[in-house]
Amino acid sequence: MKKIIILAMALSLTTVSVSCKKAVNKLGNKVLNLGGTEEANAIIEFNNNLIDSYKNTSKHIERVLKYTEAAAAKSKGENVMIMPIVLSAMDHSFSRIKGVPSGFGKDKAAIEADFTTYKTKKENIEKKFEELKSYMNSEDYKDDRGAKAEMIRKEIETEANAFYISGENLMAKIKPATDAAEEVILKDHPMKEYIISSKKVMNSLDSVIEVLGKQYTGKFNEAEAQKKYDEFAKVAEANSKMEFNVKDQQYAYKKSQFENFNKYASNFLDTYRKLIRDSKEAGKIPDSNIEQIDSSYESVLSAYNSFVN
């Protein structure tokens, strides 16, 4: 089975600050097709909820895929000591999405089409998974020697691939409007320069994750990995050298959060160096290293979101 790696896309997604909401100016109206502040905020909230949903659902699907592999093997008589545990998917962010905001203008219909596919595939995977669990729990595989388990495994893999494609299409289509909305909303914000600089760090980090995700499924390329390391180190260092000097006292507490973000970015570099060294020796990226990168990335992302929110 072709292994689907969620790291490259699902984890390399950064939410936009929704607390920095201000009136949308004429530039925003022109760029975003907006009629007012509510539509600008609706785009950002749609972006944030979709990203959270995509990340959480992708992780859940990865666990489901591991279960299907084990189920197919066990049903054929292979030795499977312990079946993977898959907890119920709790996707509160998805439930907050009531529709595609009108502010996306001419792109709204295309976004709606991808969102419909996203929702359908998400639901189909869950239904197929429940069907497979019932089949395994009742040990019906003893009647057909695992034929149904293999069939469902292939169906879930197909649905999962379609889910990831629709998710990636959505991310690409909503990004331009979301970026424009964010810049407009941040126009007069006291922390604008620090938020924009920190987002550059996250964008570079996302690029690192995308490259490592691809190399994890293929061959490790030390030169490419090192290049991304150098790029990220450069922007991370520049951000850490910024002196947090915001005159508005209501943002004074943000200084420690800004410093915390930079600390976790530095920690990521430590983890990244270890990955390059270990991968060079192994000729591929080891599972343990990709898990460490995953955990470190989540720490940086959490610190970033705490700072900008």
Side-chain angles (χ1 to χ4, degrees):
M1 157 178 159
K2 177 185 176 183
K3 184 169 178 61
I4 301 173
I5 299 300
I6 65 169
L7 190 63
M9 279 303 303
L11 297 184
S12 64
L13 303 167
T14 306
T15 55
V16 176
S17 170
V18 295
S19 65
C20 304
K21 297 178 181 177
K22 292 184 177 291
V24 178
N25 61 15
K26 293 181 180 179
L27 173 62
N29 289 331
K30 182 177 180 181
V31 173
L32 299 174
N33 226 2
L34 301 177
T37 306
E38 290 185 5
E39 288 183 335
N41 291 333
I43 284 178
I44 289 178
E45 288 172 4
F46 177 82
N47 172 85
N48 290 352
N49 286 326
L50 181 62
I51 285 176
D52 284 342
S53 171
Y54 188 34
K55 287 171 59 181
N56 293 331
T57 304
S58 295
K59 289 181 179 180
H60 175 69
I61 291 175
E62 183 70 5
R63 298 186 190 102
V64 169
L65 289 169
K66 290 179 180 178
Y67 180 93
T68 64
E69 288 182 326
K74 182 176 181 178
S75 65
K76 293 174 185 176
E78 296 178 23
N79 185 25
V80 177
M81 297 297 293
I82 301 175
M83 290 293 292
I85 297 174
V86 182
L87 302 177
S88 299
M90 302 297 290
D91 194 352
H92 300 298
S93 297
F94 183 80
S95 65
R96 295 192 197 94
I97 301 175
K98 305 306 179 184
V100 177
S102 59
F104 285 109
K106 61 182 178 60
D107 295 325
K108 184 174 183 290
I111 293 172
E112 285 178 330
D114 282 320
F115 184 68
T116 297
T117 300
Y118 176 92
K119 179 181 179 181
T120 300
K121 299 306 177 184
K122 175 180 166 73
E123 293 172 348
N124 288 350
I125 290 169
E126 204 59 31
K127 289 177 183 177
K128 288 292 180 182
F129 176 52
E130 290 300 321
E131 183 180 356
L132 180 58
K133 284 197 299 181
S134 174
Y135 171 83
M136 294 301 295
N137 292 337
S138 62
E139 298 187 351
D140 287 340
Y141 53 84
K142 293 181 178 179
D143 298 328
D144 67 355
R145 297 181 181 180
K148 186 174 182 178
E150 180 62 21
M151 179 186 71
I152 296 177
R153 183 193 70 77
K154 291 179 179 178
E155 290 175 343
I156 290 179
E157 181 183 356
T158 298
E159 294 292 283
N161 275 306
F163 170 84
Y164 289 127
I165 290 172
S166 66
E168 290 173 10
N169 287 341
L170 280 168
M171 295 304 119
K173 288 172 182 173
I174 69 176
K175 190 177 188 303
T178 304
D179 286 347
E182 183 184 25
E183 287 191 21
V184 169
I185 289 172
L186 287 174
K187 183 176 181 294
D188 299 317
H189 197 278
M191 295 199 310
K192 178 182 178 180
E193 62 177 310
Y194 304 101
I195 292 175
I196 291 177
S197 178
S198 296
K199 186 172 182 181
K200 288 180 181 178
V201 174
M202 289 307 303
N203 286 340
S204 179
L205 183 55
D206 290 346
S207 181
V208 167
I209 295 299
E210 183 176 2
V211 166
L212 294 183
K214 291 177 181 177
Q215 291 192 11
Y216 179 57
T217 60
K219 184 178 180 180
F220 177 65
N221 185 325
E222 182 186 359
E224 185 179 38
Q226 185 64 51
K227 179 182 178 182
K228 287 299 177 182
Y229 174 93
D230 294 340
E231 290 174 356
F232 177 65
K234 183 177 180 180
V235 294
E237 181 181 7
N239 201 59
S240 66
K241 288 184 176 180
M242 293 181 68
E243 182 179 354
F244 192 85
N245 185 22
V246 178
K247 295 180 180 180
D248 193 331
Q249 286 303 303
Q250 69 173 310
Y251 294 103
Y253 75 100
K254 287 291 183 179
K255 180 179 180 180
S256 61
Q257 294 180 345
F258 180 65
E259 293 172 345
N260 197 47
F261 168 65
N262 288 321
K263 181 188 75 173
Y264 280 112
S266 178
N267 290 345
F268 182 89
L269 285 169
D270 296 341
T271 304
Y272 195 178
R273 286 196 304 278
K274 182 177 183 298
L275 178 144
I276 292 176
R277 185 184 306 109
D278 292 348
S279 302
K280 182 180 178 181
E281 294 177 359
K284 63 178 183 178
I285 300 179
D287 290 345
S288 59
N289 289 95
I290 210 72
E291 289 169 1
Q292 290 168 3
I293 281 289
D294 178 354
S295 176
S296 185
Y297 176 89
E298 289 289 354
S299 296
V300 180
L301 178 59
S302 177
Y304 170 81
N305 286 334
S306 294
F307 171 59
V308 301
N309 286 329

